[in-house]
Every structure is written in structure tokens, then in C-alpha cells.
Amino acid sequence: AQTVTQSQPEMSVQEAETVTLSCTYDTSENNYYLFWYKQPPSRQMILVIRQEAYKQQNATENRFSVNFQKAAKSFSLKISDSQLGDTAMYFCAFASIQGAQKLVFGQGTRLTINP
Amino acid sequence: DVKVTQSSRYLVKRTGEKVFLECVQDMDHENMFWYRQDPGLGLRLIYFSYDVKMKEKGDIPEGYSVSREKKERFSLILESASTNQTSMYLCASRESFRSGANVLTFGAGSRLTVL
């Protein structure tokens, strides 16, 4: 079974700084999807960014980018020029392209952006 | 704007009560999911449904059942609530696992306390 590990339960940075959240996963599959979801305080979970494993190029969405290291099974999220609105729980998730494509989530990282 | 609506944001129930958590989506999505979110454990899949009247167990189905009589509605049922079911419950939907999009849309969550 696939597993996803986020080793940083909490992080805190100053506004405008760059922060990197770590995620590792375990799978024997060659093709799959990886995601970062964001859950702001008392608000709904939303997708931040998605990466397909067969694509070597790292995904980017405005200030959010990933460092996808397939051989190392690592999928970190970099937030540049952090803003107060980036304060949230961040979850890394894995989905196989086989079968039901259920998402497996990591434990989450609570990120606080300080003014 | 697409929506996943969970009927109750906060519930308090007594041990042994039967509890219904309702989820409705307005996107004509085939797949629907129930997750449980606990600190330090991330999101864990309870049940999911490919389509109407179809359901499959997730990773932690014990003590839960589900119902999907209509495409837009997916209900989570706790037959006899116990204190260890105190948690945040998240409903999500997805267009279809065949679509390749694999992006979940989440509801706001239902925080259940069992006394």
C-alpha cells in the first residue's frame, strides 16, 4: 500500500519569506499523481498544485512550485513571497492511476505566516 | 461555482446514538468520498462511491456505513456512535476516475463530538 509522509508537523515563517514543505511517499508504481492541498483555518480544503509522475518538469502555479524527485520519492512544495493568506494546513497526497485512484494523504503540515 | 455541501458543520451526539452525516454535490460528479481528519494522522478514507448505489470500503470502514441512492448525495452513517469517532469528517467529490483529472472538491467539513 502507498504511504505519504510529511515530517514537519508545524512551520512558521515571516511574511515575504520563502518556505519549503517536505513530503515523501512510498510506491512501487511508475506512474501516478501527486498533489498539495491547502486547508485554511475553518475553511474548505482546496487544491494548490498537481504533478503527474511521467512529467519531468516541475509543476508551477504562481508563487507555488514543486520539487519532484521521482527516484528519491520526494515531492516538496515551495511557497515564494509568502503571504498572510498562506497560513493553513498543507496536505501532500498520492493517487495511483490504476484502479479506483483513491487519494492517500500525509499527516499535514501546519504553516503559519507571521506579519 | 461548484459546490460540495455538508449538512451539519457541528454536531454533538451521545454514545450509542445513530448519526447521519449528509453530503450533496451539484457538479454531476460520479465519485464521492468520506474522509476522517484527525491531528497527526491526516485524512483517512472511510468509504467511497464510484457511482449511484456503488460503494467500496476505504482504509477505516469499521463502525461506519454509507448510502448513495442518488448521484448527488452521499451519506455517512454511524450506526452506534462511540467516543473514538469524535473527529472532523470531510466529504469530497470527483468527476470520474476515468477523466484523468483526479482532483477532489471538498466540503467544509462536519465536526462531530460524541459524549
Side-chain angles (χ1 to χ4, degrees):
Chain A
Q2 292 88 1
T3 58
V4 178
T5 302
Q6 294 178 249
S7 58
Q8 304 152 311
E10 294 188 20
M11 296 186 72
S12 178
V13 298
Q14 297 298 119
E15 195 176 6
E17 289 183 348
T18 294
V19 59
T20 298
L21 309 184
S22 301
C23 173
T24 58
Y25 58 94
D26 187 26
T27 183
S28 58
E29 298 180 16
N30 188 52
N31 202 7
Y32 43 85
Y33 297 103
L34 295 165
F35 307 84
W36 279 98
Y37 279 87
K38 169 185 177 181
Q39 186 181 42
S42 301
R43 290 174 60 188
Q44 284 167 261
M45 187 100 68
I46 57 173
L47 178 71
V48 176
I49 201 165
R50 181 180 78 151
Q51 175 83 39
E52 294 167 45
Y54 70 87
K55 292 185 178 178
Q56 293 190 345
Q57 186 172 6
N58 288 325
T60 300
E61 289 286 343
N62 301 315
R63 297 182 295 108
F64 298 86
S65 61
V66 298
N67 184 2
F68 173 46
Q69 301 288 329
K70 191 172 183 180
K73 297 180 183 175
S74 170
F75 184 61
S76 61
L77 175 69
K78 186 172 83 171
I79 306 173
S80 303
D81 186 26
S82 57
Q83 300 174 0
L84 297 179
D86 296 332
T87 292
M89 282 289 292
Y90 286 82
F91 292 95
C92 179
F94 169 101
S96 169
I97 64 168
Q98 307 294 330
Q101 300 181 355
K102 298 177 290 183
L103 266 73
V104 177
F105 286 83
Q107 301 89 336
T109 296
R110 184 176 301 279
L111 175 65
T112 302
I113 309 298
N114 298 306
Chain B
D1 199 14
V2 296
K3 272 190 178 175
V4 176
T5 303
Q6 294 185 230
S7 56
S8 302
R9 194 67 192 269
Y10 299 95
L11 302 95
V12 179
K13 298 292 182 181
R14 297 272 178 201
T15 301
E17 280 193 72
K18 190 169 185 176
V19 181
F20 293 86
L21 299 180
E22 305 286 344
C23 176
V24 177
Q25 50 96 2
D26 64 0
M27 299 165 283
D28 200 35
H29 282 178
E30 287 186 3
N31 304 165
M32 295 187 75
F33 303 81
W34 274 106
Y35 284 91
R36 170 176 172 160
Q37 181 180 358
D38 298 289
L41 297 177
L43 278 69
R44 292 177 292 166
L45 182 63
I46 304 172
Y47 267 96
F48 66 101
S49 169
Y50 288 114
D51 209 334
V52 179
K53 300 197 183 215
M54 298 174 72
K55 58 187 179 184
E56 281 205 22
K57 293 180 180 179
D59 300 317
I60 53 164
E62 297 78 19
Y64 304 94
S65 62
V66 291
S67 172
R68 192 159 180 213
E69 296 296 317
K70 293 185 177 181
K71 192 173 187 179
E72 66 270 18
R73 186 180 299 270
F74 192 36
S75 303
L76 180 68
I77 303 155
L78 287 67
E79 294 289 342
S80 178
S82 63
T83 55
N84 62 13
Q85 292 178 309
T86 292
S87 188
M88 170 70 85
Y89 291 87
L90 297 178
C91 176
S93 73
R94 179 178 67 191
E95 181 181 350
S96 164
F97 68 83
R98 291 183 297 276
S99 72
N102 229 345
V103 175
L104 298 185
T105 301
F106 282 88
S110 297
R111 184 167 294 281
L112 172 67
T113 301
V114 182
L115 302 176

